[in-house]
Every structure is written in structure tokens, then in C-alpha cells.
Amino acid sequence: MTSDNDVALRVRALESLLLEKGLVEAPAIDEIIDLFENRLGPQNGAKVIARAWSDPDFKARLLANATDAIVEMGYEAVQGEDMVVVENTAQVHNIVVCTLCSCFPWATLGLPPVWYKSAPYRARAASDPRGVLAEFGTDIAAEAEVRVWDSNAELRYMVLPERPAGSESLDEEALVALVTRDSMIGVTRALNP
Ligand SMILES: [Co+2]
């Protein structure tokens, strides 16, 4: 498996080459780095989920048309993809994968983690989702249904995790801290308060 360190080295080599060949200009690269470091990422998705937990009307809009509801919060799709949000309940647990490559909702979750892009996750999330969930420490009741959603270039999925017990008194801002990237991929649950 490629480590994050290897990736950093390759990126730096690629950047120097592109600059040297005059294919890109430094400000364009800075703009892209700023986009990925500061403006895209799971902090956006966490705000979407916390809003859905706090505002039933927003939640209904999010489940009916996630693309529009997410834009409503100011997060535009980076690659023109449509978004679908699937809700976890006591009866249904959803998990997201891209079996073909590494399609991922950049605007709300940022760049995919290394494990999401790995061949074992891509194969096993589809063939043995309960086994994968167990490896992430997520036990799913035998009577609950596990649904696997395969993202692609046009359509990206995000999970609306169950609002954790004990979070009833928390406001939207406090709820944001309970929503992790992995819980929005569906491999874990949201954190307990
Ligand atoms: Co893909």
C-alpha cells in the first residue's frame, strides 16, 4: 500500500515538473492546495449532518435532494457530481464504497483516505460489508440490514449517521464535533457525547 509519505514525495515531484514545463503557474497550484486544505473536507460534511439532526425540514430536503440541500449550505460539488445522502437507523446501516476506483464527495468529505482507495476495501466492502464494519469496530445487529452504495463519477454517496443517544441537549454547533469523516462513509458511527 502507498504511504502518505510516498504520495507527498510524488506530488512534490509532479508539481516541480509541471512548473518547469510551464504547464501550470504557481498561483494556480496554491489555489488548488488552499481549496483542498481549507475549503473542502469533512468539516463541511459534519455541518451538513449536524444541521440535519437539528432541523427536520432540512433533513427532509437533504434526503430528498442532497445535491441542492448541500449547495444550500454553501458547498458546491467540485466535479459536477450529484449527491445522495442515505440515512442510518436502528434497522438499516449504510456503507459507501467506490468499487471501481476512489470516487468520493470532495466538497463535503475532502480527499478519500488511503484505505478507501485500497483494493481490499473496494472488494470487501461490497462482498463482506459486515466483516469490514467489524474491523472498524462497528457491530451491526444481526437483524439490521446492511446496504452498500457504490459511488461513481456522476453520483457520490454520503451517510447520515444516527444521532447518538445522549446528544439531545446539544445544539447544532456542538453536534458538529460528534460527526467524523468515517461515520459519513458509514464504516463507524458518530461519536458519543
Ligand atoms: Co471511483
Side-chain angles (χ1 to χ4, degrees):
M1 190 184 287
T2 317
S3 76
D4 285 345
N5 223 1
D6 289 341
V7 173
L9 278 171
R10 281 157 173 269
V11 167
R12 232 176 299 149
L14 196 59
E15 179 181 349
S16 340
L17 191 67
L18 290 171
L19 287 169
E20 200 180 290
K21 300 254 179 207
L23 291 173
V24 293
E25 289 173 4
I29 293 184
D30 291 344
E31 168 72 16
I32 289 169
I33 290 172
D34 174 63
L35 180 67
F36 279 100
E37 278 191 342
N38 304 314
R39 287 182 279 147
L40 304 179
Q43 70 276 9
N44 296 349
K47 287 181 191 154
V48 172
I49 300 305
R51 173 75 51 88
W53 283 344
S54 316
D55 176 346
D57 292 336
F58 178 77
K59 179 180 163 181
R61 291 200 295 284
L62 184 68
L63 294 174
N65 183 336
T67 310
D68 287 354
I70 288 168
V71 168
E72 182 189 319
M73 287 197 66
Y75 309 127
E76 297 265 1
V78 183
Q79 300 168 299
E81 69 276 12
D82 279 322
M83 288 289 301
V84 169
V85 169
V86 287
E87 182 184 16
N88 279 354
T89 64
Q91 292 77 38
V92 177
H93 188 95
N94 298 283
I95 169 175
V96 179
V97 64
C98 172
T99 55
L100 211 60
C101 45
S102 57
C103 297
F104 201 62
W106 290 3
T108 46
L109 295 190
L111 293 174
V114 169
W115 57 259
Y116 182 88
K117 299 184 277 186
S118 74
Y121 178 76
R122 283 160 37 209
R124 291 194 48 236
S127 65
D128 179 24
R130 280 175 193 270
V132 169
L133 286 162
E135 282 163 26
F136 278 92
T138 307
D139 289 319
I140 305 297
E143 59 273 21
E145 180 191 347
V146 176
R147 292 185 190 155
V148 181
W149 301 89
D150 196 353
S151 283
N152 59 56
E154 289 80 35
L155 196 60
R156 315 280 166 99
Y157 297 94
M158 184 168 90
V159 173
L160 169 58
E162 275 186 274
R163 182 171 173 161
S167 68
E168 293 77 8
S169 64
L170 299 183
D171 65 12
E172 194 176 321
E173 209 182 311
L175 288 170
V176 170
L178 306 181
V179 186
T180 62
R181 177 195 65 197
D182 291 0
S183 71
M184 293 181 278
I185 303 174
V187 291
T188 59
R189 293 193 168 84
L191 303 174
N192 289 315

